[in-house]
Amino acid sequence: MASSKIGPTQHLPSKDIEASQQTCHVDREKISQPLRKDLVILLQNGAWFLEISSSNDRQLHLSLDKNAAKLLANFVHGSNPAKQIYLTDITDVRYGWKTDVFSENARKKFELRFDVKLKEDCCLSIIYGRQRQSFNLQANDSSIAQTWVNNISFLIDEIRALASSSNKSEWLRRAFKDADKDRSGFLNFSECCRLLNNLNVNIGTQKAAKIFELSYTNSRLDRDKDVLDEKEFLQFYNLVSERTELNAIFQDYADGNTNLSDYSLANFLKEVQGIQNADLHFAQMLIKQHKLQKTKAITEMTLPEFKLMMNSPFFDILKQEHLQVNQDMNRPLSDYYISCSHNTYLMGDQLMGVSSIEGYASALERGCRCLELDLWDGPNSQPIVYHGYTKTSKLLARDVLAKGIKPFAFKFSPFPLILSVENHLSQLQQTIFAQDLRQIFGPSLFWAVEEKAGNTPSLLSPNQLRGKIIIKVTGAKVCSPALQCLINFCKSFPNFEKMEGQKVGQITPCYSVVSMSEIEATTYLKKLPKETRLNPTCQTMMRVYPTATRIASSNFNPVYYWNFGCQMVALNFQTPGKYLEINVGRFRRNGSCGYVLKPDWLLGKIARIPSTGKSNRRTSIGFIQISNNLLDEW
C-alpha cells in the first residue's frame, strides 16, 4: 500500500472530516483584492500535494514557473518531464470534492487501493483545456488548499485582464519566452501555431502559413526550419488578429495624417457609430481612456489606440444593455425560449463517449437552464446516469446532483433550472432518487404539491421561480409516489395528440411539456394548419431534441423550431459549430441568463408580417453569412 504522506517529511492531518458534514467554500473576499507580488512569490516557492487519480498515488511539488505563465508539477518518483499547465488554459479552480475523480465511488476505490483517507477541506481541482481535464490534488491541510485556490484564481484574473489591456505586448513577450523551450530566441512555424492555440487564437493552417511568410523578414533558419524571433512573432500575432477594415477607417478619418485628431474622432463617432452626442469632450475622454503611453495629450489618437478602442466592450456589436438581464422576467414560463442541452453528461459521441459531471458544469457556465439526466438502475440500489444500451461510461446520479449541478445551479443565472429526467428506474430506485433530490437540493427544490402550482391558470414566471430547481420526468409509465409529487409542475407527454386525447372532462394543465425528436417535431409542425400554427406553444411548453441517428453528437438548426414557438430546443453542448453558436447568440441578448422572451408575434401581441414570396437573401456581417430563412424573426 502507498503511504498517505505528502512530501518527504509531511503528513496529512489526522482529523477525519466527512463530506456530508463539511462544506467547502472559497474565500471570495480574498479573490476580490488586487493581486500582490508576495502571493506570486508564494506560488513560485510551491507546496507539496498528493495527486488523486484512478491509477496513481503520486506525491508532487507544485509551483508557479518564473515567468508566471504555467504551473509545474514535479513528481517525487521519477515522472519526467514535469507536468505543465498553462494558466491561460485553466477554466476553473475548485475547492473540495467537485470533479468526477472525487465522486463517491472513485474516492472509495482510491482509499481502498492506496490506503489514503481523503479529506474534503484539503482537496482542490484545477480544470483546464478544451476537454475540461481535471488535475486533482490533496494538500497537507485545509489552509494550504484554500490559499492555492485563492491565489491561482487571482493570477488567472490578472492574466485575463492583461491579455485585454494596453499591456498586451508585454504579455505576448512573456508567452513567447515561455514557448521557447530551448532558449534559442526563435520559434518555428509549428511552435508558433501551438502558441497561438494556447492563446486561444483559432486560425486555419493555410492562412497561418501565409501570415508566417509575411512575418519572416530576417530569413533565419534553425535546424533547417524557418523561424521567427520575438519581434517577428509579435508582428505575426498582430497580423493573425488583424482587423484590416479598421486600418481603412482610420486612414479615411485621419485624412492623411499620422494620428486621428479629437475633432476627426468625434466626426467618426457621429457619422459611423451613430453616437449623436459625441462632441470634442466625449472624443477626448475616449482618447485618454485608451492611451497606450503615459502622456497628458488627449487631442490625438494613434492607430494602435484606435484599434484598442474599437475592440473594447464599448464598441461591441452586442448592445451594452444586453450584457445584463434586460427583458421582462414576469411573464409565464411558456413565453420564453429556454437554453436546453441534450444528454448533458456526455463529453463526446452517443455510443462510446465519456460521461462526466464536467458536462453539467460546462453547460451551466454557458447559461443552460435545462439539463438532461438519463437514469438507470445501478448497483447497491444507487441510480446511475448514462446513455442506456451503449458503451458510454456511468456516473452515480447522486454525484451528478451534488457535484455537477448543485455548486453551479445558480452561479451564472438566478432563474429556474429544469432537470429533464429520462426515467428507466425501478420503483425502489425512483424513491431513492427522489430522496437524493430532496436531501441535496433542499429548499431549492420546487415541490409542486406544496406550491399548489397545478391550481393556477398559467405558468409561473422566471422571477417567481428564482433559485428553484424543477423536475421534469419522461419514460416510466408509473412513477413512485415519492418522485411523482416532485413532477406535477412539468408533466411530460411524448406528443400533442396523446396530451389532447386525455379522458373527457380531464383538464390539460398548462404545466404540460411535450417532448419530441427533431424528426417527430418537424412532421407534427408541418401538419398544422397555418391559422393554428402558434396555438400548441402558446401555453404548453415543447421540447425538441436531436434524433437518435446523430451518433457523433452533431446538432441541428434550432431556428426552425424557435420560429414555431418551441421553448426548449435541446442541443449537444459538447459539439462546437454554427448551430451551437446560433444558440449562444440567441441567449446573449438577455445577459446569457438562459431565458429570452419570444418575439411579439409569437406572444400574440402583433400579427406576423406575411412572407413576400421572394427568394432567399443573404446577409453578410464581417466573416459571418446568414441566410434570411435562418434569421427569420431575428
Side-chain angles (χ1 to χ4, degrees), residues 514-526:
V514 175
S515 293
M516 294 185 184
S517 73
E518 57 182 292
I519 294 176
E520 293 169 330
T522 301
T523 303
Y524 173 77
L525 294 171
K526 282 182 177 179

Side-chain angles (χ1 to χ4, degrees), residues 150-221:
N150 286 335
N151 291 355
I152 295 173
S153 298
F154 266 123
L155 199 54
I156 292 169
D157 288 344
E158 184 194 55
I159 286 174
R160 286 171 181 164
L162 192 62
S164 60
S165 74
S166 58
N167 295 316
K168 182 175 281 189
S169 294
E170 181 56 36
W171 173 67
L172 288 170
R173 287 190 184 95
R174 194 165 68 180
F176 177 91
K177 289 176 181 176
D178 194 59
D180 180 18
K181 306 294 184 188
D182 59 2
R183 299 293 180 263
S184 65
F186 306 111
L187 296 180
N188 61 39
F189 177 67
S190 296
E191 291 170 329
C192 285
C193 288
R194 195 177 305 121
L195 179 52
L196 285 181
N197 188 54
N198 286 335
L199 298 175
N200 293 318
V201 177
N202 299 312
I203 182 174
T205 306
Q206 285 186 325
K207 184 177 179 181
K210 289 179 181 179
I211 297 174
F212 185 90
E213 233 175 275
L214 292 173
S215 309
Y216 177 58
T217 54
N218 290 324
S219 303
R220 293 188 183 89
L221 288 175

Side-chain angles (χ1 to χ4, degrees), residues 83-146:
K83 184 181 181 70
Q84 302 179 6
I85 300 176
Y86 285 88
L87 295 178
T88 51
D89 283 346
I90 296 175
T91 57
D92 198 9
V93 187
R94 300 175 191 163
Y95 182 44
W97 293 339
K98 296 185 179 72
T99 62
D100 295 318
V101 170
F102 286 126
S103 67
E104 184 178 329
N105 279 351
R107 291 200 316 270
K108 287 179 179 178
K109 288 179 182 177
F110 184 89
E111 292 176 343
L112 182 63
R113 183 175 178 183
F114 297 109
D115 194 23
V116 173
K117 185 64 178 177
L118 298 180
K119 305 181 186 305
E120 185 175 11
D121 65 338
C122 296
C123 293
L124 69 143
S125 299
I126 299 169
I127 314 301
Y128 66 98
R130 294 184 182 180
Q131 298 300 314
R132 298 180 70 90
Q133 298 164 267
S134 65
F135 189 39
N136 302 279
L137 305 168
Q138 177 160 271
N140 288 326
D141 58 56
S142 60
S143 63
I144 292 175
Q146 182 151 343

Side-chain angles (χ1 to χ4, degrees), residues 337-351:
Y337 296 122
I338 304 171
S339 182
C340 185
S341 67
H342 173 248
N343 288 353
T344 315
Y345 48 90
L346 287 179
M347 302 295 285
D349 65 66
Q350 304 287 310
L351 295 181

Side-chain angles (χ1 to χ4, degrees), residues 581-595:
E581 289 302 314
I582 288 170
N583 190 75
V584 170
R586 164 70 74 182
F587 290 99
R588 280 196 71 188
R589 67 176 64 180
N590 195 28
S592 298
C593 74
Y595 286 84

Side-chain angles (χ1 to χ4, degrees), residues 319-335:
K319 293 179 181 178
Q320 285 291 301
E321 58 265 30
H322 289 178
L323 297 175
Q324 288 84 35
V325 175
N326 59 85
Q327 296 183 342
D328 180 5
M329 304 305 288
N330 296 303
R331 298 183 62 86
L333 217 60
S334 54
D335 284 1

Side-chain angles (χ1 to χ4, degrees), residues 307-572:
K307 290 179 178 179
L308 180 65
M309 179 190 75
M310 292 304 294
N311 284 300
S312 70
F314 184 78
F315 290 92
D316 199 310
I317 192 172
L318 190 71
K319 293 179 181 178
Q320 285 291 301
E321 58 265 30
H322 289 178
L323 297 175
Q324 288 84 35
V325 175
N326 59 85
Q327 296 183 342
D328 180 5
M329 304 305 288
N330 296 303
R331 298 183 62 86
L333 217 60
S334 54
D335 284 1
Y336 298 84
Y337 296 122
I338 304 171
S339 182
C340 185
S341 67
H342 173 248
N343 288 353
T344 315
Y345 48 90
L346 287 179
M347 302 295 285
D349 65 66
Q350 304 287 310
L351 295 181
M352 307 286 287
V354 173
S355 301
S356 172
I357 65 173
E358 287 305 316
Y360 293 93
S362 175
L364 289 167
E365 185 180 327
R366 289 181 280 176
C368 184
R369 304 316 288 162
C370 181
L371 309 173
E372 186 172 22
L373 299 88
D374 288 357
L375 294 181
W376 298 79
D377 279 3
N380 304 317
S381 299
Q382 292 300 314
I384 57 173
V385 174
Y386 95 111
H387 200 197
Y389 307 114
T390 69
K391 292 186 178 181
T392 58
S393 55
K394 301 174 177 66
L395 302 170
L396 268 182
R398 182 189 297 164
D399 284 335
V400 169
L401 300 178
K403 305 184 188 306
I405 298 176
K406 184 180 179 180
F408 312 101
F410 302 104
K411 182 177 179 180
F412 305 99
S413 172
F415 298 112
L417 175 63
I418 300 170
L419 302 187
S420 182
V421 175
E422 189 174 301
N423 183 12
H424 302 278
L425 297 173
S426 63
Q427 290 280 307
L428 171 62
Q429 294 208 21
Q430 286 182 46
T431 300
I432 292 170
F433 178 66
Q435 291 169 351
D436 287 342
L437 287 171
R438 293 179 180 180
Q439 181 183 4
I440 292 167
F441 295 134
S444 296
L445 190 63
F446 187 88
W447 288 32
V449 171
E450 290 184 6
E451 310 274 353
K452 297 183 179 178
N455 295 331
T456 58
S458 64
L459 283 164
L460 298 177
S461 70
N463 263 339
Q464 289 174 306
L465 292 165
R466 271 175 174 259
K468 289 294 185 181
I469 293 175
I470 299 166
I471 308 301
K472 179 183 83 70
V473 177
T474 60
K477 293 181 179 180
V478 180
C479 280
S480 71
L483 185 57
Q484 183 63 51
C485 74
L486 301 179
I487 60 174
N488 289 346
F489 185 86
C490 284
K491 186 176 181 181
S492 289
F493 291 88
N495 54 58
F496 278 103
E497 285 84 355
K498 184 170 182 178
M499 184 184 73
E500 293 161 356
Q502 296 184 107
K503 294 179 181 179
V504 177
Q506 184 177 351
I507 299 173
T508 301
C510 61
Y511 297 94
S512 301
V513 179
V514 175
S515 293
M516 294 185 184
S517 73
E518 57 182 292
I519 294 176
E520 293 169 330
T522 301
T523 303
Y524 173 77
L525 294 171
K526 282 182 177 179
K527 288 180 180 179
L528 289 177
K530 287 187 178 179
E531 61 274 12
T532 62
R533 278 194 171 184
L534 303 185
N535 291 343
T537 58
C538 280
Q539 287 189 318
T540 300
M541 291 202 290
M542 183 173 180
R543 180 177 179 270
V544 181
Y545 55 88
T547 184
T549 57
R550 293 187 181 272
I551 295 171
S553 297
S554 60
N555 283 313
F556 55 87
N557 181 4
V559 178
Y560 175 81
Y561 305 97
W562 286 334
N563 289 343
F564 278 97
C566 300
Q567 293 89 347
M568 294 183 277
V569 182
L571 298 180
N572 289 300

